[in-house]
Amino acid sequence: MSSPAALRAQRLIVPLRELYDQACAVEGNHAADIAAIDSAFDASARNLLHYLAVRQHDIRPLQTELAALGLSSLGRLEAHTLTTLQAVLVALHRLSDQPAPKFAEHPPVTFFTGPMLLNQHSLQLLGEPAGKRMVRIMVTMPSEAATDLALIRSLLASGMDVMRINCAHDEPADWLAMIRNLRQAERELGRPCKVYADLAGPKLRTGAITPLSHLVKFRPQRDAKGRVLQPAQLWIVADEPTPGTAGDRTATGGVDLTRIPVDAALLAQIAPGDELRFVDARGRKRRILITEAQAQGFVGQAERTGYIEQGSPVMLWRNGEQVAAGRWGSLPPLVLPLALAIGDHLRLVPEGELGHPARYGKDGQLLAMAQIPITLEAVFAAAQPGEPIWFDDGKIGGQIVSNQGREIVVVITQTPPGGGKLRAEKGVNLPATKLTIPALTTKDLADLAFLVEYIDMVGLSFVHTPADIELLHRQLDELGAGNVGIVLKIETQQAFEHLPHILLTSLRKPPVGVMVARGDLAVEVGFERLAEVQEEILWLCEAAHVPVIWATQVLESMAKRGMPSRAEVSDAVMSGRAECVMLNKGPYIPAAVRLLNGVLERMSTHQAKKRSMLRKLSVSQV
């Protein structure tokens, strides 16, 4: 009589063999896709198809029964799917005292070559990791990296393996300066580092809002009792209308000053000891004492808070008498965010129009709903009533009520407690809207042509379909840069849904990697689904032997404020399941790199991908 274990094993052979046969059949159905794959990645493409075939089924009951027999429960078959299925089938036949099964198909990868291929492809794209860890560290460059060689040297010495240049910021000359500094640091430290250029892509953002006024505020420093510790320090200069300079904090003569322009005729008459008297934007009388001449202007001090409004009058007093008059010069615009509450309506208009807050009559009746422009014309052709929309990394949510072609009306359905404040240059996400726009903009094409000879890999933002990858492949071929790696940024619902086809297309021209852009992705799929989607991306990429870059807000508090949160450290531990982890910029970024380097080195002895490594415990013996 057969044992219960033998009977159970015999019963499981049929469903497992069905899985195996379906995996082989899916490969056969995609023979044309496999034929287009780079020969070095043929085995990886076939393994991906096998894995997808298995994951089209809910195999949880089968997993439970396999585990009860002490066999593999198929929970780690990503890198070597067919080999795992064959091994378990052989074990089931032996447990049930049946002859070993016959397999006509030879698995494309084994238990050893599957992980080896992933490691090989990671080395090809991302380079050798520093130290004793297997996971690389990528660092986003701040603007000062163009001029601060010491910063680059510090990052490289701390463990940076990949320099990320964000093409949405700075200028081409700055990017080249960053790369030159990196090459100099490489020579000094004897450590190589890859360069990754992240193309900006067709970003969907909010546009400009009508300024309320043009003014600048100054105030003295006071103690806890309100006593003046130091007067407000002002730098009075000639009016030269240059947007974004007036009102800035400027270090002059070792003192931090607020730059305030005045008309040149009045400036020519000022002397130390004079006073500038004026009525500020609130109707308060204020005065500024001129203390010294300095740097093509004058230093002034004020002991009371004031709001200077552009073009308002100012008088020059000397020895108790008014001696001249003039006006304040060009000041920065004061732009207030749109205040939005649940139930409010918001009008979206094309770029070129200005946004404005809601307008009400004296009786409180709504005269005009709040309005803000958005930067992609394609939205007005694609958005449909009933579709969700999110602003500012998901802080404000709404639903599209109507689309008139040049005007979309949204009802606000979610805000932070107390309401939301929507500003210009904030991201917009439309997870259910089918946008048909190319992933490469005119700017992206120009940036790619400029950078291609200096970089190792390029990041493709706003990937939606395989056609986006084919477009980038053509551009790289035209530039004679077929050896440049591609990083596919998965940041939309549509990209996640098409990921299997995207991976197969990308394997035609490796090297390739995938970046999990968790910021936009969380908004697109919903924060409650982010962990689940993140896991599925890791699994699919491991099946295709494609390296993954874990991105967005890793050790963000550490990089910005010098102290990590406990949740961030746990997130950094989890990031070790990817092949690379991206840190963003911040004043404490070298320290963040060192911390991440230590975390990844320690965890490399405890975990490899999903598999726990049972190193000797660090607790006392029993």
Side-chain angles (χ1 to χ4, degrees), residues 527-563:
F527 284 85
E528 69 280 2
R529 286 196 65 210
L530 177 62
E532 172 191 1
V533 168
Q534 181 175 274
E535 289 296 297
E536 292 192 22
I537 294 172
L538 284 168
W539 299 337
L540 287 167
C541 290
E542 186 178 0
H545 308 134
V546 167
V548 173
I549 301 166
W550 183 290
T552 312
Q553 293 185 323
V554 179
L555 294 179
E556 182 142 325
S557 296
M558 179 71 190
K560 290 185 175 179
R561 295 184 286 277
M563 179 63 69

Side-chain angles (χ1 to χ4, degrees), residues 10-92:
Q10 185 176 1
R11 178 166 45 83
L12 295 179
I13 288 173
V14 173
L16 195 66
R17 185 71 197 214
E18 288 177 353
L19 281 179
Y20 178 84
D21 291 340
Q22 288 176 23
C24 296
V26 167
E27 177 187 340
N29 294 338
H30 287 80
D33 292 322
I34 295 172
I37 301 296
D38 182 282
S39 58
F41 282 72
D42 173 87
S44 299
R46 292 170 62 199
N47 187 72
L48 172 62
L49 291 169
H50 298 152
Y51 179 74
L52 287 167
V54 172
R55 294 307 307 271
Q56 287 173 2
H57 305 274
D58 184 350
I59 63 171
R60 288 176 294 176
L62 178 60
Q63 287 183 286
T64 301
E65 295 207 62
L66 289 172
L69 289 172
L71 301 177
S72 166
S73 63
L74 310 181
R76 304 187 186 98
L77 83 169
E78 286 83 3
H80 33 66
T81 301
L82 215 59
T83 295
T84 301
L85 294 175
Q86 286 188 358
V88 177
L89 276 168
V90 169
L92 288 173

Side-chain angles (χ1 to χ4, degrees), residues 595-614:
L595 175 61
L596 182 58
N597 181 71
V599 168
L600 294 175
E601 280 196 356
R602 290 183 185 87
M603 291 309 300
S604 66
T605 65
H606 292 286
Q607 188 166 325
K609 300 300 282 184
K610 290 196 302 182
R611 189 171 67 256
S612 296
M613 309 297 290
L614 301 184

Side-chain angles (χ1 to χ4, degrees), residues 363-378:
D363 58 356
Q365 183 179 3
L366 179 67
L367 301 178
M369 70 180 73
Q371 171 177 302
I372 198 163
I374 54 175
T375 56
L376 276 181
E377 286 278 345

